[in-house]
Amino acid sequence: MKLSSRIRAIPSPAGNAWAIYERAHVLKAQGVDVTMLTIGDHDHVTPEPIIAEMARSARGGHTGYAALPGTAELRRAIAARAGEGVGPQNVFVTPGGQFALFCALIAMLDPGDRAAIVDPYYATYPLTVRSAGGEAVIARADPERGFQPDLADLADKLQGARALLINSPNNPTGAVYSRETMEGIASLCRAHDVWLISDEVYDTQVWEGEHLSPRTLPGMAERTVVIGSVSKSHVMTGFRLGWMVAPEEMVRAIWELGVSTTYGVPGFVQDAALYALEYGAQIEAEVTALYRRRRDLAVEALRGANGLRLSAPQGAMYVMLDIRATGLSGVAFAERLLEEHHIAVMPGEGFGEAAAGHLRVSLTLEDDRLVEALQVLAAFAGELARG
Amino acid sequence: MKLSSRIRAIPSPAGNAWAIYERAHVLKAQGVDVTMLTIGDHDHVTPEPIIAEMARSARGGHTGYAALPGTAELRRAIAARAGEGVGPQNVFVTPGGQFALFCALIAMLDPGDRAAIVDPYYATYPLTVRSAGGEAVIARADPERGFQPDLADLADKLQGARALLINSPNNPTGAVYSRETMEGIASLCRAHDVWLISDEVYDTQVWEGEHLSPRTLPGMAERTVVIGSVSKSHVMTGFRLGWMVAPEEMVRAIWELGVSTTYGVPGFVQDAALYALEYGAQIEAEVTALYRRRRDLAVEALRGANGLRLSAPQGAMYVMLDIRATGLSGVAFAERLLEEHHIAVMPGEGFGEAAAGHLRVSLTLEDDRLVEALQVLAAFAGELARG
């Protein structure tokens, strides 16, 4: 039986870049002690008070269909967190931030419409645009600009596009878009009359500079959808709870999409997230402090290393290493690092062309082992560069 | 800002039919003691052992990203339940059965392709087809045929269609498709070379006849996607855990759709569902017995009533009442029943034209109160018919 053309057009994320992640799992299954610095998942369990609240909610009877756009209490808490001018009517709760992104794209694009994304991008962005029936056009944010997007290039790519998707703090690069960048982006969105999707799931992980949501800039609230989540801020990746903050008209339209697809998010998961947002300030602060410390340790461990160049990440839970001096691609380096040193990292090529010759290293390992792995990686890069 | 044409084309489910559900909630919020016999949600909490397993799993660390197509254990358990010739590679776990349906439609239809559905239908089917970018064509299953589809009409509607979606045991009608019906459907699917989606989420609620999955018929496994769920069988509606059983090639293709949309189902929810499937036989039996008893009580309570006609439901957790003898539409009857007697039921019109002049009553109330409500409803129908 023939599958649809569109499902066949959603390819694997960047082919052999992700093959390394799979290969690492194969080695682990064979008993090899692989150090995993690949995906952005915490190396610790969700804090107990959040799990306890989930169990309490379920036992209390919140096991039937929950309010589809999100419970009134959770929508209020998210609105309060989102800042001025945002009310519960602007909030739609989804099973994970990425589903909010998918819904927003469905609401913005008709089949074949274009959405611009910025390279390097979160690996699944092109897939999500294609899954939503759109065509992704790629703007560049080169390492030479500190991974800030090139606004002239972006203006070009926005010709005829319906939407632009950005992500600051950025996965994989760690860039935090400057006020100048954000104002430039906002200006382009207004000039080209495009929707802006601002993926801000790392907004609690800012190490340098300041997180600025473009929604707050003049004339942007009515054309901006902000994607948020408790995944990174409260160690809740596996809960699959995210949201969008959007114009009320879009929330109403997406309601019907929710009715006809996932039919909401478990009530006990929503209650756990509500607890995290209302009483989890200390948890959030501890999680943020943990990644800040690891980021500082990583910067220190890699300072002065030969064969690689680190731009200190301004945000998020990764470091991006430029290993072009070794003469290897990111894929080739990562393959050898895995086979020879049993350390798994993500090749930059998995995140677009602008990240070629780079590695993304997740800070998802306890301090000592993280530093040790980075030192091995740096020594290996040094050898290759000298070689 | 302009929303996409396609999101604007997903309308509210059957307009004023669902307005009654909303009106009932408004009355409740005003303090009126409304008897809710509307949606198919259990009136009791998920059994404690399932909740305990969820909490155990989360505390045990299953709070990170879970295996996307489903955990190996859960896929195995679902495959075993699905019967002969089904392996884990045929199973894809989704946030709710309806999302499996949505994914299957994306994998079958290109934009504008047609999918046939059978009227009366589960209220959101037309929305789900449209959300997936398809066009729904409507075949009929009239009350005069016991809500079994008219195969001649269906053959006509399958001309040029890519897929057919059926649901037996049926929501809202309670029909269980006979072997003759199923073999006829299978034959039409083969003749017209269309995919079949068989929504079998009520497969544990069969009161008369026998549940026959069309997947087991000759030549059907390669063109059938079966939708399943623990929602109805194990009182887990709010957990949002469903699945599809499908040809392996479709599962592989849908994997990428999962990567780029919901990114799986919480690991602790999957573990709770695994527990339900592996150790929940008694829970399942009790739930089934509960709805069987209520169904029998409802049939008894409505026997010989004037003004309405009940075809004893063969399956599922509803009764469909033909109230055409009262001269009122389902909507008008339901509106008056709500305002005058504070009993909320769903008008048949919410489920398609073939269900016009009917009411769907959910068996989601404890025995005595259910019988009492049905007696009030029957007396009201009797008055109207005499009136």
Side-chain angles (χ1 to χ4, degrees):
Chain A
M1 288 296 291
K2 198 169 144 281
L3 296 172
S4 66
S5 302
R6 60 176 160 170
I7 195 107
R8 286 181 287 123
I10 311 173
S12 286
N16 58 356
W18 284 80
I20 286 177
Y21 177 61
E22 284 149 31
R23 172 75 182 144
H25 277 285
V26 169
L27 288 174
K28 270 184 82 118
Q30 290 169 358
V32 179
D33 180 22
V34 179
T35 299
M36 293 293 272
L37 303 172
T38 49
I39 63 168
D41 205 354
H42 310 275
D43 53 315
H44 44 295
V45 66
T46 307
E48 169 58 23
I50 295 173
I51 295 175
E53 174 60 17
M54 176 170 74
R56 191 207 57 73
S57 167
R59 290 189 168 111
H62 210 169
T63 59
Y65 294 116
L68 182 74
T71 64
E73 297 78 9
L74 182 57
R75 294 174 91 195
R76 265 200 298 273
I78 292 167
R81 190 179 173 92
E84 222 173 316
V86 179
Q89 74 280 3
N90 299 114
V91 175
F92 196 85
V93 176
T94 53
Q98 189 174 252
F99 195 65
L101 170 53
F102 176 74
C103 290
L105 288 166
I106 294 267
M108 294 170 182
L109 308 180
D110 278 308
D113 280 351
R114 277 182 242 159
I117 62 176
V118 180
D119 175 0
Y121 41 72
Y122 174 53
T124 61
Y125 280 175
L127 282 77
T128 304
V129 173
R130 281 195 289 276
S131 288
E135 184 194 333
V137 290
I138 312 287
R140 298 273 294 202
D142 288 313
E144 289 67 31
R145 307 175 169 271
F147 294 113
Q148 301 275 321
D150 177 338
L151 293 177
D153 176 47
L154 185 57
D156 190 45
K157 298 300 160 47
L158 287 181
Q159 300 286 348
R162 290 282 303 141
L164 166 63
L165 166 56
I166 62 169
N167 171 221
S168 173
N170 188 271
N171 172 11
T173 67
V176 171
Y177 288 4
S178 65
R179 176 170 284 274
E180 190 189 346
T181 296
M182 279 300 189
E183 288 179 345
I185 287 171
S187 170
L188 288 175
C189 288
R190 289 188 303 260
H192 293 267
D193 195 25
V194 303
W195 286 98
L196 178 63
I197 305 176
S198 179
D199 180 347
E200 303 180 14
V201 298
Y202 292 99
D203 64 355
T204 60
Q205 299 183 352
V206 178
W207 321 131
E208 283 176 22
E210 188 194 359
H211 173 63
L212 173 67
S213 175
R215 191 183 183 285
T216 61
L217 295 175
M220 292 306 291
E222 66 262 33
R223 65 173 72 246
T224 302
V225 173
V226 175
I227 310 291
S229 164
V230 286
S231 290
K232 311 299 177 180
S233 56
H234 294 82
V235 199
M236 292 177 72
T237 44
F239 283 65
R240 312 310 303 126
L241 189 133
W243 59 79
M244 71 169 66
V245 171
E248 188 177 355
E249 190 192 355
M250 175 173 287
V251 169
R252 277 200 304 265
I254 283 174
W255 201 312
E256 305 292 347
L257 185 62
V259 163
S260 55
T261 55
T262 57
Y263 213 89
V265 174
F268 47 78
V269 167
Q270 294 195 54
D271 287 342
L274 176 65
Y275 177 90
L277 294 181
E278 290 203 325
Y279 302 103
Q282 195 187 333
I283 290 169
E284 186 180 320
E286 284 169 6
V287 174
T288 298
L290 174 80
Y291 289 108
R292 176 185 289 277
R293 189 180 72 233
R294 289 180 180 173
R295 176 265 190 194
D296 291 345
L297 284 170
V299 170
E300 181 61 30
L302 297 169
R303 192 186 303 279
N306 292 316
L308 62 80
R309 210 177 63 79
L310 166 76
S311 316
Q314 300 168 292
M317 55 201 283
Y318 315 95
V319 292
M320 274 286 266
L321 307 179
D322 179 347
I323 50 85
R324 287 176 289 185
T326 66
L328 295 187
S329 69
V331 171
F333 189 107
E335 281 173 354
R336 289 190 56 185
L337 186 69
L338 178 59
E339 299 302 330
E340 297 174 32
H341 296 284
H342 301 158
I343 297 170
V345 300
M346 295 300 297
E349 289 81 0
F351 306 95
E353 288 177 19
H358 286 69
L359 305 173
R360 189 195 74 172
V361 181
S362 298
L363 303 173
T364 51
L365 193 63
E366 57 196 65
D367 298 6
D368 292 352
R369 292 185 60 210
L370 176 65
V371 168
E372 194 185 328
L374 290 170
Q375 285 165 343
V376 171
L377 189 160
F380 186 53
E383 280 167 36
L384 289 167
R386 276 194 305 277
Chain B
M1 289 295 294
K2 197 169 145 281
L3 296 171
S4 66
S5 301
R6 59 175 160 171
I7 196 108
R8 286 181 286 123
I10 311 172
S12 286
N16 58 356
W18 284 80
I20 286 178
Y21 177 61
E22 284 149 32
R23 171 76 182 143
H25 278 285
V26 169
L27 288 174
K28 270 182 84 117
Q30 290 170 357
V32 178
D33 180 22
V34 178
T35 300
M36 293 294 273
L37 302 172
T38 50
I39 64 168
D41 204 356
H42 309 276
D43 53 314
H44 43 295
V45 65
T46 307
E48 168 59 24
I50 295 174
I51 295 174
E53 173 61 15
M54 175 169 76
R56 192 207 57 74
S57 167
R59 291 190 167 109
H62 209 170
T63 57
Y65 293 116
L68 181 72
T71 65
E73 298 78 9
L74 182 58
R75 294 175 90 195
R76 265 201 299 275
I78 292 168
R81 189 178 174 94
E84 224 173 314
V86 178
Q89 73 281 1
N90 300 116
V91 175
F92 195 86
V93 177
T94 52
Q98 190 174 252
F99 196 65
L101 169 54
F102 176 75
C103 291
L105 288 166
I106 294 268
M108 294 170 181
L109 309 179
D110 278 309
D113 281 350
R114 276 183 243 159
I117 62 177
V118 180
D119 175 0
Y121 40 74
Y122 174 53
T124 61
Y125 281 176
L127 282 77
T128 304
V129 173
R130 281 195 289 275
S131 289
E135 184 194 335
V137 289
I138 313 288
R140 297 273 294 202
D142 287 313
E144 290 65 33
R145 308 174 168 272
F147 294 112
Q148 302 275 321
D150 177 337
L151 293 177
D153 175 48
L154 184 56
D156 189 45
K157 299 299 160 49
L158 288 179
Q159 300 286 350
R162 291 281 304 140
L164 167 63
L165 165 57
I166 62 170
N167 171 222
S168 172
N170 187 271
N171 172 12
T173 68
V176 171
Y177 289 4
S178 65
R179 175 170 286 273
E180 190 189 348
T181 295
M182 279 299 189
E183 288 179 344
I185 286 171
S187 170
L188 288 175
C189 288
R190 290 188 302 262
H192 292 267
D193 195 26
V194 303
W195 287 98
L196 179 62
I197 306 177
S198 180
D199 180 347
E200 304 181 12
V201 298
Y202 292 98
D203 63 355
T204 61
Q205 300 184 353
V206 179
W207 321 131
E208 284 177 19
E210 189 193 358
H211 174 63
L212 174 66
S213 175
R215 191 182 184 283
T216 61
L217 296 174
M220 291 306 291
E222 65 262 33
R223 66 173 71 245
T224 303
V225 173
V226 175
I227 309 292
S229 165
V230 286
S231 290
K232 311 298 179 181
S233 57
H234 293 82
V235 199
M236 292 176 72
T237 45
F239 283 64
R240 311 309 304 126
L241 189 132
W243 59 79
M244 71 168 66
V245 171
E248 188 177 354
E249 190 192 356
M250 176 173 286
V251 170
R252 278 200 303 265
I254 284 174
W255 202 311
E256 304 292 348
L257 186 60
V259 164
S260 54
T261 54
T262 57
Y263 215 90
V265 175
F268 47 78
V269 166
Q270 294 195 53
D271 287 343
L274 177 65
Y275 177 91
L277 294 181
E278 290 203 325
Y279 302 104
Q282 196 188 331
I283 290 169
E284 185 180 321
E286 285 168 6
V287 174
T288 298
L290 174 78
Y291 289 108
R292 176 185 289 277
R293 190 180 71 233
R294 289 180 179 173
R295 177 264 190 195
D296 292 345
L297 284 171
V299 171
E300 181 61 30
L302 297 169
R303 191 187 303 280
N306 292 316
L308 62 80
R309 210 177 62 79
L310 165 78
S311 316
Q314 300 168 294
M317 55 202 283
Y318 316 94
V319 292
M320 274 287 267
L321 307 180
D322 179 348
I323 48 87
R324 287 176 288 184
T326 65
L328 295 187
S329 70
V331 172
F333 190 107
E335 281 173 352
R336 289 191 54 184
L337 186 68
L338 178 59
E339 300 301 330
E340 298 174 30
H341 297 283
H342 302 158
I343 297 172
V345 301
M346 296 298 298
E349 289 81 359
F351 306 95
E353 289 177 18
H358 287 69
L359 305 173
R360 189 195 75 173
V361 181
S362 297
L363 303 173
T364 50
L365 192 64
E366 57 196 66
D367 299 5
D368 293 350
R369 291 186 59 208
L370 176 65
V371 168
E372 194 186 328
L374 290 170
Q375 285 167 342
V376 171
L377 189 161
F380 185 54
E383 280 166 38
L384 289 167
R386 275 195 305 276

